[in-house]
Every structure is written in structure tokens, then in C-alpha cells.
Amino acid sequence: MSRIEIVETAEVAESTGTAQGASRAPAAPPRARPSRSGKPQGQWKVDGTTPLNANEELKAADNGLNVRERIEQIYAPGGFDSIPDGDLHGRFRWWGLYTQRRPGIDGGRTAQLEPHELEDRYFMMRVRTDGAALDPEALRVLGGISTDFARGSADVTDRQNIQYHWVGIEDVPEIWRRLAAVGLETTTACGDTPRGFLGSPVAGIAADEIIDPSPVIAEIKRRYLGDPELANLPRKFKTAITGHPSQDVVHEINDISLVGVVHPEHGPGYDLWVGGALSTTPRLAERLGAFVREEEASDVWHGVVRIFRDYGYRRLRNKARLKFLLAAWGPEKFREVLETEYLGHPLADGPAPGAPTGPADHVGVHLQKDGRSYVGATTTVGRVGGGLLTALADLVEAVGAESVRLTPFQSLVVLGVPTDRVEDLQTGLEELGLSTRPSPFRRSTMACTGLEFCKLAIVDTKDTAARTISVLEERLSDLTPQLEESISLHVNGCPNSCARIQTADIGLKGQIITTAEGEQLPGFQVHLGGSLAAAGLEQPQLGRTLRQHKVAARDLPDYVERVVRRFVGSRAPGESFAVWAHRAEDEELR
């Protein structure tokens, strides 16, 4: 087994020293407290830059960004067998590439096989959009890549990415060329880097927007995307920026988030949040109480990511996210270090965001500030495919709309729709399997990549979730009028929460379960009552885990139907599923 694979945790539903191209930590006196164990934690400004594990050694040997040249000049011409282990299982991630799971391997064998036994000779490729508006030309390019190089596969992820499968190394340079022609890329889409940004899907067009985040995202990308000095972080770093009052970028679970607010003296700007992340140790982000003006936002982002680079824990990979540093320091110290060491000036104190004004997925028809409309539509658990993307481009063009943005909910929003063509667009979207009037279950069900392609997965996710949606729409049609809000169902193929299971009404963590009869089956650990920012909820909350309760995948529709009927029958007036699930007795939730 590769040393890199041994210590790597979930990266797929994600240098030090003087090596050429390696990042260097700036010298400064230590500020972080020593670990309780007394062992160095790999904090560059505290312990120095000597690598403390195989991942850090790999990054110190060669900056991950350098692998692109080798892909173009050596591996694409030479084929899969020409790729050495360090690049294949390490640095390829810096350009959005992972080997995918070989077909036919049962989920029960995931933890039993060596990496080379699990992986295929094809890649998953992740394309970052960073909240960009995709015009028909870009949609056709994305669809064409799927059709020509990815066996028709394409998924919308909950990070606003497009994700392909079945990509051969020989085709990667041509895919990059096509993406670049429409302003898209895979640069640092994976790896220990600043990953793709979440941006408001209605940036610059919503009538009720507080501030347009597009200029800030563009400035950060212009200044820092692909910066070798930011290409060796302790682990991945996730960013979310919104100026919409629905708070539509799941800001509570990102390493850094900028959330639109209005300061009583300085006007529109951003409230700063840091340290959110899920995986197996979920932690919600915290406000620093700092107001960020638009013109200083990119510097603040740069300061936070450098704090993570310089002070983040690197010795143990499962403790290497920013959330662990924030937990040790607290928000007050974090803000102090940001202002004194990285910005050189204090930030103004600022107000907290108000309660969200409505659903964050933007599904349905909404008025733009220019009099036209934007129309949100759901996919089925993110699956689109090359044919659909190409047909969507044709539809957008035919009705005179402008572009499409992806959302953090595996759905999409069509922008700039002429008012007299809205119904034509809705009809066309329905014909493509994209619903602007979805059921409460189709609207809010998400699923990670799962057993079909992910080497970490234990159970199937997307087919299981799609099948469950169809069954629930039929069985619970009598309750649909009584469900004022959709009930989110998030299906994950392993414990790592790529589908955000702890923040769903019903979150499902894939595992092999043993029935009362002793039969081992694919199934799920149940989490109930998770919710991020939502109208009517005082504060975000993680889901409640039913420790002894497991559900077989084959029984998932029965279980969800049973719990939803109990919720409708026993909830208080106006009570949400998340609130009800936290007060209900265990027996009501089984």
C-alpha cells in the first residue's frame, strides 16, 4: 500500500523545505500553544517545516502544481503505466484528478483491499466553477467533454463543481484546453489547497441582494488561484461568499465564509466566519465579529488561508483542518492573529447576519433586479450528463436566457429569463428531468458519488437515493400539501460526509449493517434533525445520531415514509422537521 494512501482520508462525494517549487513558511515567532502531548504538531511557525508524515514529505519533495507539465508532456503521451505513485496518488489532486473505483468491487471489501486493487485506470475529474455564470457556449463545452471523454457522465456536486468519470490520462490535456477556452479550469480543485469557491447562485441579479460577491471572488482568483505559496496547506481549504439574504452558500461548514451584511456606518460588506467543516468530526464555523469591507475582502481571505498554512496542524492528517486550530485558539485569538500578523491593521466590529429570508436553493421563479427572472430547478441527486448539458445550452439560448449557475444543493439556476418565456423554460426543463416545481423529496435530496466510482465508499448512493425519491413521491403524495417545507435527505456512501449528512433533516451514513437475522447488508447509520441557516430556526444545529439504529438500503423508503408520517402526525403548529426530530422520543424516530 502506498504510504500516501495509508494516511489519506476522504477527498472524493477531497511543501516545505527547499525543493524546487515548494512553498516556504515565513519566519516569525511562535504564537500557538504547544500540544498537550508535547509532540510537535507540524505547525510551521511553531515547529519548523520538517515533514512529520508521508503526505508532508511528498509535498516537500515537489509542489503539486508542478505535476501539470508532467501530465501534458510525459503521462498523457506515455499512458497510465507511465505515472509514478507519488504523482498518481498525491499530486494529481492538485489538478482535480483522482483514480476512480474499479467496477464490481463489493462495498464490504473497501477496507480489505489495497489501493491498487480498488482503483481503475480511469480518473474522476473535478471542474471548478467558483459560482460563475455558465453561458450556452460553456454549457456546450462541458457537455461535449462528457460525451467525448467521460462516457456521458457528469454530476453537479454540492460544491458547485462539475465532476466527470471515466477520464483517461491521454485526454486530459485536450480537456484542459477546451475548459480554458470558456474560462473554466481544474486548478487546485482537489489537494491540500484552496478548493473551488462557493458563490451565491444569484450574485448580481437578485432584487433583494445585499452585495454582489462576484468582484470579490474574481479578485481572489486573479491574485491567488494557482499561487505556489498557497499550494501546500495542511489539508483542503474551503471558501464560501454570498451577498444574498437567504445565506445560500452553507457558510457554517466552510473554512472561511464571507456573508453579506449592512454595517450601520460602512454600508454593505461582509461578516467573517471561520473554521467550519464536517467529515467524521463535524464543527460549525464561528463568527469573528469582524466586518469586512469589499475592498479588503481579498486580503482578509489571504490572511486566513496563510494562518492555516503557517499554524495549521500537520502531524496527524485527521487533525489537519482549520476547525481544529480554531477550537484550540478560539475566535478572539484567531482574530487577533489575523489583524496583527497578517493584515497589519484592525478590522471594524460588525453586525451578525439576520435570519435567512427564504430557501437557499432558489428553486422556482423569482424576479431579478432588471425585471427579468431567474428560475431554479432541481436535478435528481446531481446527475446531469453530457446530453443534458448540451440540451440545456440549447434551451437557454432558445428562450433568450443568459446563463446558468450551479448551487451548493446539486441543482441549478437559469439566469436572465425574459418574463414572457418563463413558462416555455419551465416546460423545457421538465422535459430534461429538471424540475422547477419538485416534490418535497426531489427538491432536497442529495447524494455523494458512492460505490459506483469512489474508492472509499461502502454503499451505493445515487441510485439508492433516486429510487427512494420515486417511491416517496408515490407513497407520500397524500402528505405533500401538509409539508410546508421540503425535507432534506442526504445520502453518503461512507463516514466522511461529502453529502453533508450531519446538516440534513435525514442524514444517512453508509456502512455494512448486520440484521437481527445475522445477514450483512449495505445500509446506513441515521442522523436526524440537522439544519444550517433556515427561517424559523434560532441557530444551526447538527443532526442527532441514533447510535443503535441502522437502516438497510433496501428498506430506506419504508423508514423515511414511517418517520415523515410520524412527524406530520405529532409536530406542533409551524414546527420544522429539524426542531421536531431533536425533541421526539427515540421510538418515534425508528
Side-chain angles (χ1 to χ4, degrees), residues 316-330:
L316 298 177
R317 194 151 176 83
N318 62 356
K319 300 291 185 183
R321 292 295 299 275
L322 183 63
K323 61 186 175 183
F324 295 104
L325 180 65
L326 181 67
W329 280 8

Side-chain angles (χ1 to χ4, degrees), residues 220-496:
I220 294 173
K221 289 188 64 177
R222 184 189 67 79
R223 293 175 65 183
Y224 302 119
L225 183 62
D227 182 353
E229 292 298 313
L230 301 180
N232 180 7
L233 304 180
R235 277 202 66 196
K236 56 191 170 185
F237 183 85
K238 296 183 176 182
T239 300
I241 307 177
T242 184
H244 195 264
S246 66
Q247 299 168 26
D248 50 5
V249 293
V250 293
H251 63 277
E252 304 96 331
I253 56 172
N254 283 266
D255 294 283
I256 181 173
S257 294
L258 296 171
V259 182
V261 293
V262 178
H263 192 281
E265 296 178 18
H266 303 295
Y270 298 97
D271 188 43
L272 176 60
W273 297 60
V274 298
L278 294 177
S279 192
T280 55
T281 310
R283 193 177 197 278
L284 297 178
E286 294 189 56
R287 295 183 61 237
L288 298 192
F291 177 77
V292 179
R293 292 174 292 126
E294 181 178 42
E295 58 269 27
E296 61 189 358
S298 61
D299 289 336
V300 168
W301 181 90
H302 191 218
V304 172
V305 74
R306 286 182 294 147
I307 288 176
F308 181 44
R309 180 194 65 189
D310 299 342
Y311 286 114
Y313 305 135
R314 294 173 182 259
R315 184 174 72 89
L316 298 177
R317 194 151 176 83
N318 62 356
K319 300 291 185 183
R321 292 295 299 275
L322 183 63
K323 61 186 175 183
F324 295 104
L325 180 65
L326 181 67
W329 280 8
E332 294 82 6
K333 177 174 180 177
F334 196 102
R335 179 174 172 178
E336 176 193 355
V337 172
L338 173 65
E339 293 174 335
T340 58
E341 292 188 27
Y342 291 87
L343 296 179
H345 64 83
L347 297 168
D349 293 336
T357 56
D361 59 11
H362 302 296
V363 169
V365 180
H366 309 269
L367 189 66
Q368 294 184 181
K369 63 177 65 174
D370 64 2
R372 292 179 293 177
S373 296
Y374 63 90
V375 180
T378 60
T379 66
T380 298
V381 294
R383 281 188 163 161
V384 285
L388 189 153
L389 289 168
T390 302
L392 179 60
D394 294 341
L395 177 61
V396 168
E397 205 165 60
V399 301
E402 287 188 345
S403 57
V404 170
R405 282 198 180 110
L406 309 181
T407 82
F409 303 93
Q410 296 183 339
S411 56
L412 56 88
V413 179
V414 182
L415 311 176
V417 184
T419 303
D420 61 349
R421 301 303 302 275
V422 166
E423 290 188 10
D424 294 336
L425 175 69
Q426 289 181 287
T427 299
L429 290 172
E430 292 287 346
E431 292 172 354
L432 294 177
L434 304 170
S435 180
T436 63
R437 306 179 186 90
S439 71
F441 307 102
R442 191 169 299 274
R443 177 170 183 166
S444 299
T445 297
M446 297 199 311
C448 71
T449 300
L451 190 65
E452 184 178 12
F453 296 115
C454 177
K455 293 177 293 182
L456 299 169
I458 302 166
V459 302
D460 172 81
T461 54
K462 289 194 179 288
D463 286 339
T464 298
R467 186 167 54 250
T468 300
I469 292 169
S470 296
V471 173
L472 293 175
E473 286 177 333
E474 180 179 349
R475 290 188 188 176
L476 294 176
S477 59
D478 60 311
L479 294 187
T480 298
Q482 302 176 55
L483 295 172
E484 294 88 356
E485 300 176 354
S486 58
I487 294 178
S488 56
L489 179 69
H490 294 188
V491 184
N492 215 78
C494 76
N496 290 292

Side-chain angles (χ1 to χ4, degrees), residues 488-565:
S488 56
L489 179 69
H490 294 188
V491 184
N492 215 78
C494 76
N496 290 292
S497 201
C498 294
R500 309 199 300 251
I501 54 175
Q502 300 99 330
T503 65
D505 289 316
I506 303 174
L508 300 157
K509 178 175 71 178
Q511 56 186 232
I512 301 299
I513 69 169
T514 303
T515 68
E517 295 75 28
E519 184 180 10
Q520 289 198 319
L521 297 170
F524 301 96
Q525 168 76 66
V526 178
H527 299 256
L528 294 173
S531 181
L532 298 180
L537 189 70
E538 289 188 6
Q539 59 185 8
Q541 60 189 25
L542 297 174
R544 168 184 178 182
T545 304
L546 301 185
R547 294 289 178 191
Q548 304 305 315
H549 188 49
K550 312 291 193 297
V551 176
R554 67 186 183 189
D555 300 327
L556 183 57
D558 297 338
Y559 172 71
V560 176
E561 178 188 8
R562 186 165 64 247
V563 171
V564 171
R565 288 194 180 278

